[in-house]
Amino acid sequence: MSVHQIIYTSCMRGIDGVNDGQQVYSYDAGFQGAGSDEVKSLFTYQPPALEPGVVMTEELARTMPRSFTYRRLENGACALALNTYLGRDYMGSAGRFGNHLSHVVVAGREDMLHYPCEFYGSGLLRDHMEYEEVNNPQRPEYLPAPVLERGYAVDIDRVVEFLGVEGRMEILKNMVCAVLSFETERKRLLICDEPENILLWIAAVEYTLPLPAALDLNFTTYAFDPSLSASQICGVVPQGTRFGPESARQHFVFDLLGDSCPELEKDGRYYDFLETSLSFSYDSLEDFHRFLTEGYSYAKAGSQLVEAYCLYTLLSDGLTSLAGEELEGALKFAVEYGLPGEKSQVLENILSQRECLLELEAPLLLKAARFSMSLYSVVDEGLRAQIRELLVDRVLWDFLYSQEGEEGFLAFYQALDSLCQGGGFSLATQLMEESNREKLFAAMKDSGALWKLAFIPRVVTAYVKDQDLSVEQLLPDTPLGQTYCGLVQVVAAQSAANGQYLVQQILDGFAGQWDHLVSMALNLEGVLLDQPGGEQGAEAMWRHVEQRMAGAPAEGRRQAMALLMREQRYEMVFQLYSQAMAQARELEECQRTFQDHYREFVAQGSAYAAYAAYAGPVMECYYERLRRFDRKASRAAAVELFQTLADSGSGAPFGERLVQELACEIPFAGPSRENERFIQTAYTYLHRMGRPIEGRLSLLLAGMVLEACGKPGQIGEAKDTLCQMLQTGGADLGGLSQREAEEYFSWVLPRGCSMCGNGRDIQDLFGLFRMPAAVEPLFFSQCARIFLKQGRSGRDSRDYPMFCVFLSLVFQRGTPQVLQSVGKAVGRLNKQKLAELDDSVRTVYGRDRASIRMWERVREEAASASPILENLTNLFKWRKDKP
């Protein structure tokens, strides 16, 4: 972009043909942006208001402040503007006051080879117009293209002389701080001083900046209303404008006339450098500026200049010259703004300070390492190797000499390793290279601290994981296996407790790699057993393994078990299985744990046949866990477990309990197909095991045997079959409550009585059961009702043949309880039926006096239990209670 100019003032006629007044007087012919709003905004000027009663005069007009402005335009161009109050308009002494002259020069950034302040006072910007120029009715000619030339009002020598006055250097440092904080504070710098001093203050600020940064800093030497100004630095006057006491709330106000300047918090190092350079050697500041412009892309007047100076100091004075935050800021600046070649030079500079890096405080070293690793992927292999070597040597140095202890060292190591991992390698891998491994082991021998001994296997384990080494590559006869075993052997020989600690540290390193963890335990077991009291040490180690395995997922536990199986460590396999079963929270998880384990390690055809001896304990462990769940919800799982038990042929002690518990949940009714299969399987299992068939299972079998009778007269066969199955005198009802006994008889007796054709059948029906005295009356009561019902439904309702046969068994038992229970059943008949029954009984038993006497007792019980008598009793009671 070439350099252009435009003049705005009061004239008779402007170049654009507008007549009479404030207008664009002229511009150069090549200026395409003459009509832009940004350029027009530079024409704005408002003089300070006069005191009330004061009238503007030619003399007063000459005292109005000039506005020298520099502004960076949106299109990247740079604009210089001089606004001068002229007083009267183009008509001269006959004109009105209010006229001002705006002369604007616009140049490309590449054309601005000097600080903007240096163009003040040159012939580049006009501060007046000739009368003949503006009072001319003819259209003005185009202006010539301007030539940028510096003025004579500002240069570094004059600024240095200006700052030499006592107190001004401190003021400047605070002004610079205010300018650099603009991005965060969003406050302008306002300077209230003599007009010639305002320009020098601005120049002084500019000289502290590299030229590209200064070209990014807008300023004006006079602003009527600084709050509306586009400038970051504004000169102000104390009266007649919108600058006042309230301005200090919005801006950094340096009121030199009022002797009021703020003291800002700032970094001492950078500002001391500015003071020294501007006081004694500006060449130093220029060297810093060249450092920035030639190697970095930062071109702003911002706070990062402080970080840039810290980087400049780092490269010239070394790492130890900076504090922690300063070093971090310096390296951050290098990463964000350094050009590619410059970043590599910074890295080379840091790596060249090797001895310093080895002894540098850990927090500072981490900052340097973070910077180095940020460039790791873009530098050549030579620098990469230097980075790796440096970090390894620093770890070894800290391992030997650091006084931070275990916690501090491990935190440092982990932070460093995390940076390395981001670069695609691990410290552990580097440490396990042959030369480094020798250094590490040598360092171990020189240290008696237990945590340092534990650190070695931690590094080895990290290497194993990085290289994804297999279990076989860690066996005791391999180099790495010998490393682990050798460490434990050395430490355990000195202290059993330290040896156990070291073993646990090694095993903890493999948490999550469950096959590796178990394999390593097997490797180390031999080392421990060779030590005095080794059995106790080995037991403690396996307890630790079991604790670690508590967090293993199903697949990890399976891998560990398979490895233990191959080593025939069956007890440990069972322990891990028991642990998994104890940890299972849901029924489905318990089922899955058992099924997977049984199928892979126990079932017939498994590769681990010797483990079959644990089949019973494996199933019993599952059985005990199932008992903790709701019985109804877990019944299907329990039935499935019993089927597994039966199929295995195991005589596990819990089998009988399981059978009885499952049998107790089967109702006394015709069994479903599923229940019938269970009853048959349970009988077969107990019979094969030589266990007695007792309790509810025997009763269910009796019921099924009766249901199998196809026609009357087969009761005897059923009895013989059942007795042979039970190997006892019949199904035992001793464990039933009265309600359960009633339910049971309600199921089996209707079928049983229907199969009875004579007294022998009834005897055999009675012989199917072993009944305590309390249950026997229930049997006779139920049978009496059934046989009475059969008689009433026969051809001759007056005949009760089977009941009379049944009475033979009743009279044979003859206990008061039996006679009473039958009497209650008979008592349900009406008077006529009772008389008919009495005739039938007396016909059959008329000559048997003992039987007739017992029948009479039955009649008495029937009479006392007659519904008619009960109704009469209730009637009398109702009348008695009625008022």
Side-chain angles (χ1 to χ4, degrees):
M1 178 180 180
S2 55
V3 183
H4 305 284
Q5 62 176 326
I6 184 171
I7 295 177
Y8 174 90
T9 190
S10 174
C11 56
M12 180 177 294
R13 184 175 182 183
I15 195 170
D16 293 330
V18 179
N19 294 324
D20 190 28
Q22 291 282 145
Q23 58 187 307
V24 172
Y25 170 72
S26 185
Y27 47 83
D28 65 272
F31 193 10
Q32 301 297 321
S36 72
D37 291 338
E38 271 197 296
V39 171
K40 291 179 180 179
S41 68
L42 292 167
F43 301 158
T44 303
Y45 178 85
Q46 184 174 352
L50 300 178
E51 293 288 338
V54 177
V55 179
M56 179 63 70
T57 63
E58 297 287 351
E59 291 75 13
L60 280 176
R62 285 191 290 272
T63 65
M64 292 296 103
R66 292 182 178 184
S67 174
F68 176 55
T69 301
Y70 168 76
R71 186 173 302 171
R72 181 76 181 276
L73 303 182
E74 290 183 359
N75 63 2
C78 302
L80 295 167
L82 181 62
N83 283 279
T84 307
Y85 187 73
L86 299 179
R88 298 184 185 277
D89 62 20
Y90 69 92
M91 295 179 68
S93 60
R96 293 171 295 178
F97 284 99
N99 179 28
H100 75 275
L101 168 65
S102 295
H103 189 179
V104 177
V105 174
V106 178
R109 185 183 178 104
E110 66 280 3
D111 298 312
M112 295 291 289
L113 303 180
H114 306 287
Y115 286 94
C117 61
E118 294 179 338
F119 291 102
Y120 184 79
S122 70
L124 178 66
L125 296 170
R126 298 181 61 174
D127 58 2
H128 68 282
M129 297 291 290
E130 299 297 334
Y131 179 80
E132 293 78 9
E133 291 178 297
V134 295
N135 198 18
N136 186 347
Q138 300 299 318
R139 180 176 179 273
E141 298 292 332
Y142 284 108
L143 299 176
V147 177
L148 292 176
E149 57 182 20
R150 285 190 288 180
Y152 300 96
V154 175
D155 58 33
I156 185 62
D157 293 334
R158 185 175 179 189
V159 168
V160 168
E161 181 183 359
F162 171 75
L163 294 174
V165 176
E166 184 177 359
R168 284 181 176 174
M169 187 62 73
E170 284 301 318
I171 294 173
L172 173 66
K173 288 156 67 174
N174 284 298
M175 286 183 177
V176 173
C177 183
V179 169
L180 300 189
S181 68
F182 181 77
E183 288 185 350
T184 55
E185 299 293 333
R186 310 309 295 178
K187 289 184 176 182
R188 297 177 179 85
L189 167 62
L190 307 189
I191 304 174
C192 183
D193 201 351
E194 300 296 339
E196 62 274 16
N197 288 350
I198 290 176
L199 179 61
L200 292 173
W201 283 120
I202 295 174
V205 171
E206 282 198 325
Y207 282 134
T208 66
L209 304 173
L211 178 60
L215 294 178
D216 197 54
L217 181 65
N218 294 341
F219 69 81
T220 183
T221 59
Y222 165 71
F224 178 83
D225 187 349
S227 295
L228 299 179
S229 176
S231 296
Q232 188 176 334
I233 304 177
C234 298
V236 293
V237 296
Q239 295 178 339
T241 66
R242 291 180 181 168
F243 166 73
E246 69 282 355
S247 298
R249 292 196 300 270
Q250 299 176 327
H251 314 286
F252 292 113
V253 175
F254 287 76
D255 187 356
L256 283 305
L257 297 179
D259 195 23
S260 175
C261 297
E263 180 66 34
L264 304 182
E265 184 178 352
K266 51 192 176 294
D267 173 80
R269 181 188 301 272
Y270 174 65
Y271 293 95
D272 290 346
F273 168 69
L274 294 181
E275 179 177 0
T276 301
S277 299
L278 291 171
S279 299
F280 304 106
S281 175
Y282 186 66
D283 291 343
S284 300
L285 190 54
E286 288 182 313
D287 183 68
F288 172 56
H289 292 169
R290 281 192 298 273
F291 164 77
L292 279 176
T293 55
E294 293 174 3
Y296 298 87
S297 62
Y298 189 73
K300 295 182 179 179
S303 59
Q304 285 86 346
L305 284 174
V306 177
E307 298 175 349
Y309 179 70
C310 289
L311 177 61
Y312 177 74
T313 303
L314 166 67
L315 298 178
S316 59
D317 299 340
L319 287 164
T320 55
S321 63
L322 299 181
E325 292 184 0
E326 291 177 325
L327 178 59
E328 183 174 18
L331 297 178
K332 178 183 176 184
F333 183 85
V335 170
E336 292 183 2
Y337 301 106
L339 301 177
E342 187 68 19
K343 289 181 182 179
S344 296
Q345 290 182 17
V346 172
L347 177 59
E348 290 176 12
N349 182 290
I350 292 175
L351 293 176
S352 68
Q353 303 178 56
R354 185 176 181 280
E355 295 303 319
C356 175
L357 288 168
L358 290 179
E359 300 183 12
L360 196 64
E361 294 180 3
L364 297 180
L365 186 281
L366 285 173
K367 297 181 191 304
R370 189 172 293 109
F371 170 74
S372 301
M373 292 308 303
S374 71
L375 301 176
Y376 187 80
S377 62
V378 298
V379 297
D380 59 39
E381 180 54 31
L383 283 177
R384 291 184 188 180
Q386 289 185 51
I387 293 172
R388 295 194 299 269
E389 181 181 358
L390 169 67
L391 297 183
V392 168
D393 287 348
R394 177 53 195 257
V395 168
L396 293 172
W397 190 94
D398 269 37
F399 186 74
L400 274 175
Y401 304 115
S402 174
Q403 302 300 315
E404 295 296 323
E406 178 182 10
E407 184 176 350
F409 173 77
L410 291 181
F412 170 72
Y413 177 83
Q414 289 166 1
L416 207 57
D417 188 49
S418 177
L419 292 174
C420 295
Q421 295 282 356
F425 67 93
S426 75
L427 276 177
T429 301
Q430 297 303 310
L431 285 167
M432 290 307 295
E433 290 187 358
E434 185 174 354
S435 58
N436 294 329
R437 184 166 66 244
E438 292 175 358
K439 295 178 185 177
L440 185 62
F441 291 165
M444 181 197 72
K445 294 178 182 178
D446 295 335
S447 173
L450 184 60
W451 71 265
K452 292 188 177 182
L453 298 179
F455 174 73
I456 307 297
R458 181 176 301 177
V459 170
V460 178
T461 301
Y463 171 75
V464 169
K465 292 181 177 180
D466 288 343
Q467 301 300 312
D468 195 22
L469 300 182
S470 67
V471 167
E472 289 72 19
Q473 292 172 293
L474 303 180
L475 293 176
D477 58 353
T478 65
L480 286 176
Q482 292 172 359
T483 298
Y484 283 112
C485 293
L487 286 171
V488 173
Q489 188 175 24
V490 170
V491 175
Q494 298 173 348
S495 167
N498 289 351
Q500 192 61 229
Y501 170 79
L502 185 60
V503 167
Q504 291 179 4
Q505 292 295 307
I506 292 172
L507 296 178
D508 290 349
F510 288 105
Q513 290 182 296
W514 309 107
D515 53 345
H516 283 69
L517 186 150
V518 171
S519 177
M520 186 55 63
L522 291 168
N523 296 345
L524 299 179
E525 184 180 40
V527 178
L528 294 177
L529 290 174
D530 289 339
Q531 304 299 319
E535 291 186 2
Q536 295 179 349
E539 290 175 1
M541 179 192 70
W542 285 114
R543 285 195 298 271
H544 188 75
V545 170
E546 187 174 349
Q547 292 172 2
R548 278 299 176 190
M549 290 299 299
E555 177 59 23
R557 189 177 284 108
R558 188 201 65 76
Q559 293 175 359
M561 288 179 180
L563 183 58
L564 289 167
M565 279 290 190
R566 291 197 293 272
E567 298 297 324
Q568 299 181 3
R569 306 302 290 269
Y570 304 132
E571 179 62 28
M572 191 61 194
V573 173
F574 179 72
Q575 289 297 328
L576 293 181
Y577 162 75
S578 301
Q579 180 188 72
M581 191 61 72
Q583 291 177 339
R585 293 290 177 264
E586 303 297 330
L587 176 60
E588 293 76 9
E589 187 179 358
C590 284
Q591 289 179 277
R592 186 168 56 252
T593 299
F594 168 72
Q595 292 166 356
D596 292 347
H597 187 76
Y598 192 87
R599 179 178 59 254
E600 182 163 0
F601 299 116
V602 182
Q604 187 175 7
S606 166
Y608 310 105
Y611 187 61
Y614 282 84
V618 166
M619 289 185 280
E620 185 167 8
C621 178
Y622 178 39
Y623 163 70
E624 294 295 342
R625 188 67 183 88
L626 287 179
R627 296 185 73 190
R628 300 182 186 180
F629 292 103
D630 177 74
R631 180 169 291 185
K632 184 177 180 181
S634 63
R635 176 173 173 78
V639 171
E640 184 181 29
L641 169 61
F642 171 70
Q643 189 63 55
T644 302
L645 176 66
D647 292 342
S648 71
S650 171
F654 75 94
E656 281 187 82
R657 277 188 297 153
L658 177 58
V659 167
Q660 293 300 335
E661 289 172 2
L662 292 174
C664 285
E665 296 170 9
I666 298 177
F668 287 137
S672 65
R673 290 185 178 181
E674 178 185 350
N675 288 337
E676 187 174 337
R677 283 195 301 270
F678 166 74
I679 294 169
Q680 293 171 348
T681 304
Y683 165 74
T684 303
Y685 170 74
L686 293 176
H687 181 71
R688 188 172 67 243
M689 294 295 108
R691 306 288 173 77
I693 314 298
E694 298 176 329
R696 197 178 186 95
L697 181 62
S698 68
L699 298 175
L700 293 168
L701 281 170
M704 290 175 61
V705 168
L706 282 175
E707 287 191 338
C709 293
K711 58 184 178 179
Q714 292 184 339
I715 294 295
E717 296 177 10
K719 176 189 173 184
D720 293 341
T721 300
L722 182 64
C723 289
Q724 184 178 4
M725 294 174 68
L726 303 183
Q727 299 180 352
T728 60
D732 184 11
L733 287 89
L736 301 184
S737 66
Q738 181 174 343
R739 182 182 60 80
E740 290 174 327
E742 289 175 350
E743 291 178 357
Y744 181 68
F745 286 140
S746 296
W747 168 40
V748 299
L749 290 182
R751 179 66 173 176
C753 290
S754 69
M755 294 293 105
C756 292
N758 52 50
R760 181 61 184 171
D761 289 343
I762 295 175
Q763 289 283 352
D764 288 338
L765 178 62
F766 180 75
L768 280 171
F769 309 104
R770 289 183 291 139
M771 291 177 279
V775 175
E776 192 172 305
L778 297 175
F779 172 83
F780 283 97
S781 176
Q782 289 271 20
C783 287
R785 291 194 185 100
I786 294 169
F787 287 128
L788 286 173
K789 186 177 180 181
Q790 289 178 358
R792 291 197 300 271
S793 62
R795 295 179 183 176
D796 187 351
S797 61
R798 295 171 296 176
D799 190 16
Y800 295 89
M802 285 309 300
F803 181 78
C804 291
V805 175
F806 166 67
L807 284 179
S808 176
L809 178 61
V810 174
F811 298 155
Q812 179 183 339
R813 302 303 293 175
T815 64
Q817 293 82 3
V818 170
L819 297 177
Q820 183 182 28
S821 66
V822 174
K824 288 182 178 180
V826 172
R828 293 178 176 274
L829 299 175
N830 59 33
K831 185 176 181 181
Q832 179 182 349
K833 295 291 186 181
L834 185 55
E836 293 172 354
L837 176 61
D838 184 64
D839 290 342
S840 297
V841 173
R842 290 184 184 278
T843 300
V844 175
Y845 295 98
R847 295 182 180 184
D848 186 347
R849 293 181 179 181
S851 296
I852 292 299
R853 281 196 300 272
M854 280 189 279
W855 171 246
E856 291 295 339
R857 290 175 63 183
V858 171
R859 284 289 306 272
E860 291 172 5
E861 289 293 338
S864 66
S866 172
I868 297 175
L869 293 177
E870 289 180 6
N871 290 339
L872 289 174
T873 301
N874 292 336
L875 177 62
F876 290 138
K877 184 177 184 298
W878 174 75
R879 287 181 176 178
K880 182 179 178 181
D881 294 340
K882 186 176 182 182

